[in-house]
Amino acid sequence: TGDRRKIGERTVKFAQSNTEMSQYGIFLCLGITMLVTRPWIWPSVHWWAGYRDGAIDHRAMRPDFRFFYILYGARYMQGIMSTAIEPKRKDFMEMMVHHFATVAVIFLSYMAGFVRVGMAVMCLLDVADVPLHIAKQFVYLAQDASPKEKDENGKVVGGPETVNQPMQTIADLWFVLFAISFMVTRLGMYPYI
């Protein structure tokens, strides 16, 4: 029963990572689709063009941007609720602070009319999370779920503590992609914004 419980826990973790990967991926694609057609997307100085002199009212938000903002905020509100009702994990407080801070930043940028920079930041922050959750899924798949067996010497072999090496290698490659995307987007591009 201990093996089955571990397999069940891994299945739940796999499903959670799959859901997270899907959410981050969908929001990233949706945001990029809305941003690439904007004439002000690059260079970033265009994000603020006309803001101080009132030539462009940044609070007059396009309906698709408003929809994205509301959906993005709702996603993190859902994160607050699910973190609060799920079994408490080691990083409970960190996740709550993260979700509340994200909701606050989304709300403040929406109210202040910082829509252009807000959209860029929201898309930028989702890039690294997609390969991270793909890597985590492969880690869960790498944990071999074969039942424990005894070899000819009576030694227990197999079981959840063994690792499927090809799956672990794929997981490692996705972790490398995560690290690269994290360094480029969050350590390089985000401070620029």
Side-chain angles (χ1 to χ4, degrees):
T1 60
D3 290 343
R4 286 187 181 145
R5 185 175 58 237
K6 286 183 180 182
I7 292 169
E9 290 170 4
R10 279 197 314 270
T11 303
V12 169
K13 288 179 180 182
F14 180 89
Q16 288 172 334
S17 283
N18 188 45
T19 302
E20 291 286 321
M21 182 267 309
S22 300
Q23 286 179 350
Y24 286 117
I26 289 168
F27 274 91
L28 177 63
C29 291
L30 183 60
I32 288 174
T33 301
M34 292 190 306
L35 285 177
V36 295
T37 60
R38 305 286 35 123
W40 45 260
I41 191 62
W42 195 257
S44 61
V45 70
H46 296 305
W47 297 342
W48 305 104
Y51 187 76
R52 288 186 190 242
D53 59 9
I56 296 175
D57 185 5
H58 285 247
R59 278 168 243 149
M61 191 184 296
R62 297 167 39 102
D64 56 344
F65 283 17
R66 181 174 289 114
F67 175 73
F68 187 80
Y69 256 83
I70 292 169
L71 222 59
Y72 204 89
R75 181 178 94 185
Y76 279 93
M77 289 295 294
Q78 178 270 333
I80 291 170
M81 289 184 250
S82 64
T83 302
I85 63 174
E86 289 175 353
K88 302 296 182 260
R89 299 186 330 197
K90 292 184 288 186
D91 62 349
F92 171 78
M93 282 307 290
E94 291 85 353
M95 290 306 295
M96 291 301 276
V97 168
H98 166 70
H99 290 313
F100 274 110
T102 304
V103 169
V105 169
I106 292 168
F107 178 76
L108 291 173
S109 74
Y110 181 89
M111 296 307 292
F114 297 157
V115 178
R116 292 177 176 181
V117 71
M119 287 291 294
V121 167
M122 286 188 280
C123 289
L124 185 67
L125 294 180
D126 284 346
V127 172
D129 290 312
V130 175
L132 171 65
H133 286 287
I134 293 172
K136 288 171 76 172
Q137 290 174 63
F138 277 104
V139 166
Y140 300 135
L141 291 173
Q143 296 170 348
D144 192 355
S146 61
K148 290 183 179 179
E149 299 173 1
K150 292 185 179 181
D151 65 7
E152 62 275 357
N153 298 326
K155 182 179 175 186
V156 176
V157 295
E161 62 276 349
T162 62
V163 174
N164 180 321
Q165 200 54 52
M167 290 291 183
Q168 185 61 49
T169 302
I170 295 170
D172 294 342
L173 291 172
W174 278 105
F175 275 122
V176 168
L177 288 173
F178 159 71
I180 292 168
S181 63
F182 186 90
M183 285 187 287
V184 169
T185 58
R186 296 198 187 172
L187 301 180
M189 295 172 76
Y190 182 69
Y192 170 78
I193 291 174

